[in-house]
Amino acid sequence: MSSSLAPLALVSLAALVLSLLLTRWLATRAGSGLGPLDHPNERSLHAAPVPRSGGLGVLAGVILTLLAAMALGWMDDALAWISGALLLVALVSFRDDLGDLSPLARLTAHGLAAGALLLGGLGWSRLDLPGATLVFPGWLALVLTLLFVVWMINLYNFMDGMDGLAGGMAVFGFLALAWLGWRGEEPGYVLVCLGVAASAGGFLASNFPPARIFLGDVGSSSLGLLAAALALWGTELGLFPLWVAWLVFSPFIVDATWTLVARLIRGERVWEAHRSHHYQRLVLAGWSHRRTVLRAYGLMGAVAVCAVAAPGLTASDQWMLLGAWAVIYGVIHLKVGLVERNARMEIS
């Protein structure tokens, strides 16, 4: 792996610079007709129109990384299918940015992307828990893979609602996966994860509060697809059990899933835009974007460190780790409610 260090560093730097420059250029073209604008509404957290073409900068860096993987001879069958699934999701999502597509059209594209991953041998075929493994029958593996990929694409889109949040999750999350790949001596996997993290970092330079540009669906949906695909690929390579990747992206998975279930219980139309995610509630209660996102970065960093350490722990320690994070997320939920109550008391 030491001989791979130079190309890994050079490609990652190139992806970061390309994403940084293209994103900044797109941010200066607001209102020029080059890309869509995100106009504020009653469910937004921003007050003025912001371009939402930043995902194109991220994709440019990722595509450069994939081309480098091909040139270096690291483009195996799994990565080729991931690339195809990414292209499909990106094209459909950019079309949605330019003009609303029906939910059915979007979900169909997401399902086809999941199918591409399955054809590439990247299915969720077993549940590896600490000290135990449950192998799924073929039909169940297909259904679970479809649900996992589609949910990851959409939850990343749902969580992309505040300056710096989705880009930060990508930096922390894919860097953690890259470290796990490095430890497992898989240079191709490391290259792709580093390239995604670097591309997100380049975008983040223009998206950190106050943001000058947003990801748009083309960026958030693509990052969600990559999170699912690289989690499945890492599991297939034997780098980590799938639950470790869930832990890496748990700041998004927990918030989005908790919010979805709560809205279903309340009988709300879950396909409609809303402002009930934890990060949205904190901003509405008076926290600034910067304060909220910096707290989120602390959470993402802590989760990433634990996820990287988790495969080397004993089964009992892994269960203790998962239990500790379940408690932490419960405390976070209570803390958000407390912040809201304090804000209401100050107003009254």
Side-chain angles (χ1 to χ4, degrees):
M1 278 292 290
S2 58
S3 61
S4 305
L5 188 58
L8 289 173
L10 288 174
V11 173
S12 299
L13 179 61
L16 185 149
V17 172
L18 177 59
S19 175
L20 175 70
L21 295 178
L22 182 54
T23 302
R24 285 187 174 178
W25 183 77
L26 289 167
T28 65
R29 296 299 184 272
S32 65
L34 184 64
L37 287 174
D38 196 316
H39 294 277
N41 54 46
E42 68 277 4
R43 296 184 177 91
S44 303
L45 295 180
H46 59 290
V50 177
R52 51 174 176 156
S53 51
L56 297 177
V58 176
L59 280 173
V62 173
I63 291 171
L64 174 64
T65 302
L66 295 173
L67 292 175
M70 184 182 300
L72 291 166
W74 295 342
M75 176 66 75
D76 63 9
D77 289 344
L79 185 54
W81 283 104
I82 291 172
S83 302
L86 174 63
L87 178 62
L88 173 61
V89 170
L91 288 174
V92 171
S93 300
F94 188 59
R95 173 63 183 83
D96 194 30
D97 280 330
L98 296 176
D100 288 340
L101 287 179
S102 69
L104 179 60
R106 293 196 299 272
L107 285 174
T108 299
H110 300 166
L112 290 173
L117 298 182
L118 280 165
L119 289 173
L122 301 176
W124 181 10
S125 59
R126 65 186 185 274
L127 179 62
D128 290 313
L129 295 173
T133 298
L134 175 63
V135 178
F136 301 133
W139 67 269
L140 183 57
L142 189 152
V143 171
L144 290 176
T145 303
L146 177 66
L147 291 175
F148 173 58
V149 175
V150 171
W151 181 227
M152 286 298 294
I153 294 171
N154 284 275
L155 78 82
Y156 216 104
N157 195 2
F158 296 157
M159 294 296 292
D160 179 31
M162 186 181 70
D163 302 354
L165 190 64
M169 183 73 263
V171 171
F172 282 101
F174 290 103
L175 280 179
L177 295 185
W179 183 262
L180 290 164
W182 178 267
R183 199 160 59 194
E185 299 187 347
E186 290 288 348
Y189 185 84
V190 176
L191 177 68
V192 177
C193 292
L194 283 179
V196 178
S199 301
F203 160 78
L204 195 57
S206 297
N207 182 247
F208 190 77
R212 293 185 292 150
I213 193 168
F214 294 160
L215 273 174
D217 285 355
V218 65
S220 59
S221 296
S222 296
L223 286 174
L225 181 278
L226 286 167
L230 295 179
L232 292 171
W233 189 22
T235 301
E236 187 65 26
L237 291 171
L239 299 175
F240 48 78
L242 188 56
W243 67 263
V244 170
W246 293 347
L247 182 59
V248 168
F249 291 100
S250 60
F252 273 24
I253 293 173
V254 172
D255 192 337
T257 304
W258 184 293
T259 302
L260 175 70
V261 172
R263 296 186 71 210
L264 283 170
I265 292 174
R266 292 194 297 266
E268 299 179 13
R269 298 178 179 179
V270 295
W271 56 89
E272 293 183 348
H274 62 93
R275 296 197 296 185
S276 51
H277 288 292
H278 286 129
Y279 70 91
Q280 293 169 320
R281 292 164 58 190
L282 287 171
V283 172
L284 293 173
W287 283 28
S288 68
H289 282 236
R290 186 177 293 258
R291 179 185 182 187
T292 306
V293 80
L294 287 176
R295 297 296 193 281
Y297 288 172
L299 176 65
M300 294 171 189
V303 165
V305 170
C306 290
V308 167
L313 300 177
T314 64
S316 59
D317 286 343
Q318 289 175 344
W319 279 117
M320 288 180 62
L321 178 67
L322 290 174
W325 275 107
V327 172
I328 290 170
Y329 280 118
V331 171
I332 290 173
H333 177 71
L334 295 175
K335 172 65 175 178
V336 172
L338 180 61
V339 170
E340 288 178 317
R341 285 192 294 273
N342 289 339
R344 287 193 296 265
M345 290 175 62
E346 290 178 3
I347 293 174
S348 60

